[in-house]
Amino acid sequence: DKIATDIAACVELLQVNDMTAQRIAHCVGALQFADGLLAGRGGEDLAWAAALSSSQRIMLAAVLCRLQAHQMERAADDFCAAMADLKARLGELALEAAAAKNAAFENSATDNGAGGVCAVLRADGERVLAALDDGARLGGEVRAKVGALLAGLEGLADDMASIRSVDADMRLMGLNAGLKCERLAAKGRALAVVAQELRASSRRTDIALKLIGADAQAVREAAWSLEAAAAERTAQTAEVGDLLRRWIDAVAAIGQDLDAALAPIRRTCEQTGEILRRTAAAIQVDDRLGAGCRRVADRLRIIADEIHPETPDDKAEAAQLLSFLKDHYTMASERAIHGLFSEDDGAAAA
């Protein structure tokens, strides 16, 4: 919207050329009429001028010269103001072009455009992928530790089997000792104590082995669950990692396409900005035209003073003479200056 507004304003400001040309042409026509007055010529549309006396013709010619001096000064002021505004607008458009170029540069997916959306997305994806890789490594470590634990449990099972074998031997020894005690009667009491202790020890061993076996089975089942979960998580992580790698590649491809699309835009914005800056710097016609119009205005005042010096007594008669010309203007600005000049010359001069 800002760019469109500035462009429309520039186009409108350029119309000051035609307006200034028309105002100068009007001044030329007025001066030609003044020249005709001094030479005794008139025109069909200005038949009233034929009835003027020689002194009135001279006064009207002088008044016309002063009026056109005002017209030339106002035309110069308006033209220079419009050109100054035009230069400022062109400068703002150059800044807008530079801003568009910077925006295209920042949105680039290349290393130079690290702030671009594609570059940011790619960097985020790579960080997530690194986290997934770390998770996969941790999952491998977990599976390795679970495998070591299961191996330890297998070793424990072997040790428990050995203990059961020894316990069976002890139960058999207790049974044999009991049988011998029965045959030895009183002499076998000491052996009976040993047999009883062997049976008690066997029972305690059996109870302990069952408890250890139950705990070992619980640990084994938990390890199997953990191993299965780790394997599933690793598979999921691998699948997500593959998808993420493909996504990163797709973002990189989009970034390259975006770079290719933005490169000519950046060049165009840069060239446009440079053209606008050069154009603004090259506009010097306002200085030349303004100086020329003011020189003409000064010369017209000198001529007016030479042919008829201005006096306070002439003001009413000069205003009456000028009133004959008020319907011959083609622009509102000319009529406004005529009104100021004829009704309040002091205000017009200010």
Side-chain angles (χ1 to χ4, degrees):
D1 292 343
K2 177 67 166 57
I3 294 176
T5 300
D6 286 338
I7 292 175
C10 288
V11 173
E12 183 177 356
L13 287 169
L14 288 173
Q15 296 177 6
V16 75
N17 293 318
D18 294 336
M19 295 173 63
T20 303
Q22 185 176 348
R23 294 173 77 170
I24 292 175
H26 178 85
C27 289
V28 170
L31 292 175
Q32 288 173 343
F33 173 69
D35 181 61
L37 285 175
L38 294 175
R41 298 190 303 272
E44 294 181 359
D45 57 336
L46 297 175
W48 55 267
L52 298 178
S53 66
S54 177
S55 62
Q56 287 178 322
R57 286 170 176 268
I58 292 173
M59 180 187 293
L60 181 56
V63 171
L64 281 173
C65 287
R66 294 188 182 97
L67 176 58
Q68 301 319 307
H70 280 287
Q71 294 279 18
M72 293 294 285
E73 286 179 338
R74 292 296 182 91
D77 291 342
D78 293 345
F79 184 84
C80 291
M83 288 299 102
D85 193 5
L86 178 62
K87 292 177 185 178
R89 296 277 186 174
L90 291 175
E92 291 177 4
L93 285 172
L95 293 177
E96 292 291 339
K101 174 192 171 185
N102 291 336
F105 182 79
E106 291 170 358
N107 285 316
S108 172
T110 61
D111 293 337
N112 291 332
V117 61
C118 289
V120 172
L121 289 175
R122 192 174 66 248
D124 289 342
E126 289 173 349
R127 282 194 293 271
V128 173
L129 185 59
L132 288 175
D133 291 339
D134 291 340
R137 285 192 293 272
L138 290 174
E141 294 177 3
V142 168
R143 289 197 305 276
K145 292 183 181 299
V146 170
L149 176 60
L150 290 173
L153 290 174
E154 292 300 323
L156 178 61
D158 292 340
D159 293 340
M160 290 175 64
S162 298
I163 293 172
R164 284 193 178 89
S165 177
V166 172
D167 181 56
D169 291 341
M170 291 179 65
R171 284 199 302 273
L172 183 58
M173 289 174 61
L175 179 60
N176 290 333
L179 293 174
K180 288 182 179 180
C181 286
E182 291 179 0
R183 288 196 301 267
L184 294 175
K187 293 180 179 180
R189 288 183 183 143
L191 186 58
V193 173
V194 173
Q196 185 178 0
E197 186 61 30
L198 287 173
R199 288 193 295 273
S201 177
S202 177
R203 284 194 298 273
R204 289 194 297 272
T205 299
D206 184 60
I207 293 171
L209 288 174
K210 288 180 179 178
L211 291 174
I212 293 172
D215 292 340
Q217 184 61 26
V219 171
R220 187 179 291 107
E221 291 175 356
W224 288 338
S225 298
L226 181 59
E227 185 179 36
E232 182 179 1
R233 179 64 59 84
T234 299
Q236 291 175 348
T237 300
E239 182 178 358
V240 172
D242 290 340
L243 292 174
L244 186 56
R245 287 184 182 88
R246 290 198 293 271
W247 181 81
I248 290 173
D249 292 340
V251 170
I254 293 173
Q256 292 174 355
D257 293 340
L258 182 61
D259 263 355
L262 290 176
I265 295 177
R266 291 196 298 269
R267 288 193 299 272
T268 300
C269 290
E270 184 175 4
Q271 293 169 356
T272 301
E274 181 61 24
I275 291 172
L276 289 169
R277 285 188 291 272
R278 288 202 305 266
T279 301
I283 295 177
Q284 298 178 353
V285 65
D286 51 334
D287 295 334
R288 297 193 299 272
L289 186 141
C293 287
R294 291 183 179 92
R295 284 196 301 271
V296 170
D298 292 340
R299 181 58 182 161
L300 287 173
R301 287 192 177 92
I302 293 173
I303 293 173
D305 291 340
E306 288 177 350
I307 63 176
H308 186 83
E310 191 174 21
T311 64
D313 296 337
D314 296 335
K315 187 172 183 179
E317 186 175 2
Q320 182 180 5
L321 292 172
L322 283 175
S323 66
F324 294 124
L325 302 175
K326 64 182 180 181
D327 295 329
H328 294 275
Y329 291 100
T330 58
M331 297 179 64
S333 58
E334 294 169 347
R335 287 192 292 272
I337 294 172
H338 178 95
L340 289 172
F341 185 83
S342 61
E343 295 174 9
D344 187 356
D345 191 46

